[in-house]
Amino acid sequence: MKYKALVATLLLTLSAGAFSATKLPHIVILATGGTIAGSAASSTQTTGYKAGALGVDTLINAVPALKDVANVTGEQVANIGSENMTSDVILKLSDRVNQLLAQDDVDGVVITHGTDTLDETPYFLNLTVKSNKPVVFTASMRPATAISADGPMNLLEAVTVAADPDAKGRGVMVVLNDRIGAARFVTKTNATTLDTFKAPEEGYLGVIVGGKPEFETRVEKIHTLRSVFDVRQVKTLPQVVIIYGYQDDPEYMYDAAIAHHAAGIIYAGTGAGSVSVRSAAGIEKAEKAGIVVVRASRTGSGVVPVDSQQPGLVSDSLNPAKARILLMTALTQTKNPELIQQYFHTY
C-alpha cells in the first residue's frame, strides 16, 4: 500500500509539473539579425564583427533559463544589420506580428533587432500592431561571441517582460540593460556604451529587478489598438527622406527629393526646427510639387512648436527618424496637412 501511495503521489507531482509547464505563456521570438546575433574573430572584439551571423535557434539555445518563464518558439524574419533595415522588411514584420497575436495560443512577441535603427522599427509597430498583447524588442551592444555579451540577458529579460500579464496594453516596448522603454520615446544616445537606449525627457516605463519587471508608468500617446493606421494590405510604404539642417545647407537637396518623387520630407532643423533661407526656398518648391514637409529638431529632444513664420508641419517631440516613420505611415491614409499635423500631436 505504501508503494502504491508513493507511486500515486509521484504521478500526481509529475502531472502537476506538466500542467504547470503548459500554463506558461507562449512567446514567439522573431529574429531580424543585428549585433545580438553577431559573431567576431575573438572574444575581446566588440567592433568590426559580422552582424546577423547567428540564427534564432542559436540565440534561444544560448539562454536555457527562457524555459522557466515561457514556452518559446522562434522564427527568422531577416538576418541583417539594422542599418540595412528597409520599409519592406518592417512591413513584413508588422504583418507577421499581427498574424501571430491574432492566434489564441500566442501570448506575446519578442523581436531581436540591431541597435542602429532600433528607435525606428519598434515605433512603426507601435503604430500598426492591432493587439494589446505585449510586443517587446531587444538587442545588444556586444556581439554574441564577446566577453560579457549583453544579448543573452537582454533576450531573457525581453521574454520575461512579454510574459508578464502587466505588460499588456502598454504599447510596443524596447528592453535592454535592465530597462523597459516605450517605442514612442526611447532612442539610441551613445555609439558604443551598453546603456545607450534612453528617453531623455520622458524616462522609462519601468525596470527589471531580480528577474521581475517593475512597471512605473504608461504612455498616453495613442498606439496599437487605438491607432487608426492599418497597413495589413499595404505592399509598399511612401518614400520619405530626411534632409539635415546646418550652416550653408544647400537648396539642391530639395531638388533631388522632387526629382526622385519623394512623398514626404522630414527637415531635421537646428534648434526648435529652425529653417535657413536656403531650406525655406527648397521647402516651398517641395510643397508646390505636392510633397508633405515636416520640421523636426536635430537636437535629439524637445518639442518643435507650431510657428506661422516657419514653413511645413511640425513633428511635436518626435526625433527626425521617428518623424519619418510616422509620416510614411500617415501618408498611407491621407495627404491632408491638417490631419497629418493632428497625427503628429497625438501619436
Side-chain angles (χ1 to χ4, degrees), residues 231-242:
V231 297
R232 284 174 288 189
Q233 303 304 316
V234 173
K235 300 303 179 187
T236 44
L237 290 170
Q239 182 190 176
V240 175
V241 299
I242 299 174

Side-chain angles (χ1 to χ4, degrees), residues 100-161:
L100 287 167
L101 296 184
Q103 298 175 198
D104 291 338
D105 64 341
V106 175
D107 298 293
V109 171
V110 167
I111 300 162
T112 61
H113 195 283
T115 60
D116 282 356
T117 59
L118 189 56
D119 56 349
E120 298 178 56
T121 308
Y123 184 51
F124 180 68
L125 266 64
N126 199 55
L127 299 171
T128 60
V129 165
K130 297 301 179 184
S131 175
N132 67 350
K133 295 178 182 178
V135 177
V136 182
F137 279 75
T138 194
S140 75
M141 290 298 292
R142 293 173 180 163
T145 50
I147 296 172
S148 298
D150 50 324
M153 180 59 82
N154 286 344
L155 182 59
L156 176 60
E157 291 188 339
V159 171
T160 301
V161 170

Side-chain angles (χ1 to χ4, degrees), residues 25 27 69 110 134 136 153-168 170 173-175 178-181 204-217:
I27 304 299
V69 296
V110 167
V136 182
M153 180 59 82
N154 286 344
L155 182 59
L156 176 60
E157 291 188 339
V159 171
T160 301
V161 170
D164 192 308
D166 201 24
K168 290 182 179 179
R170 295 182 182 271
M173 292 168 280
V174 178
V175 170
D178 300 337
R179 291 173 171 90
I180 307 167
Y204 300 104
L205 291 177
V207 296
I208 300 162
V209 181
K212 184 179 182 343
E214 301 285 350
F215 290 101
E216 302 294 341
T217 187

Side-chain angles (χ1 to χ4, degrees), residues 188-248:
K188 191 171 185 176
T189 64
N190 187 285
T192 58
T193 60
L194 296 187
D195 63 345
T196 176
F197 277 88
K198 298 177 181 178
E201 294 292 323
E202 301 83 7
Y204 300 104
L205 291 177
V207 296
I208 300 162
V209 181
K212 184 179 182 343
E214 301 285 350
F215 290 101
E216 302 294 341
T217 187
R218 289 182 180 271
V219 174
E220 294 300 323
K221 295 286 188 180
I222 294 174
H223 58 74
T224 54
L225 273 180
R226 293 174 58 210
S227 171
V228 300
F229 303 119
D230 190 342
V231 297
R232 284 174 288 189
Q233 303 304 316
V234 173
K235 300 303 179 187
T236 44
L237 290 170
Q239 182 190 176
V240 175
V241 299
I242 299 174
I243 297 179
Y244 198 84
Y246 55 94
Q247 295 176 358
D248 298 321

Side-chain angles (χ1 to χ4, degrees), residues 43-127:
S43 62
T44 57
Q45 187 176 344
T46 57
T47 61
Y49 50 83
K50 182 181 178 182
L54 308 176
V56 65
D57 290 337
T58 302
L59 298 183
I60 292 171
N61 291 337
V63 191
L66 287 173
K67 70 179 185 304
D68 298 325
V69 296
N71 292 320
V72 172
T73 56
E75 298 179 15
Q76 196 78 43
V77 176
N79 214 352
I80 55 177
S82 69
E83 72 277 10
N84 292 317
M85 191 62 65
T86 65
S87 58
D88 290 341
V89 177
I90 65 174
L91 269 173
K92 177 182 177 183
L93 187 59
S94 175
D95 186 57
R96 185 57 183 145
V97 170
N98 275 315
Q99 290 174 8
L100 287 167
L101 296 184
Q103 298 175 198
D104 291 338
D105 64 341
V106 175
D107 298 293
V109 171
V110 167
I111 300 162
T112 61
H113 195 283
T115 60
D116 282 356
T117 59
L118 189 56
D119 56 349
E120 298 178 56
T121 308
Y123 184 51
F124 180 68
L125 266 64
N126 199 55
L127 299 171

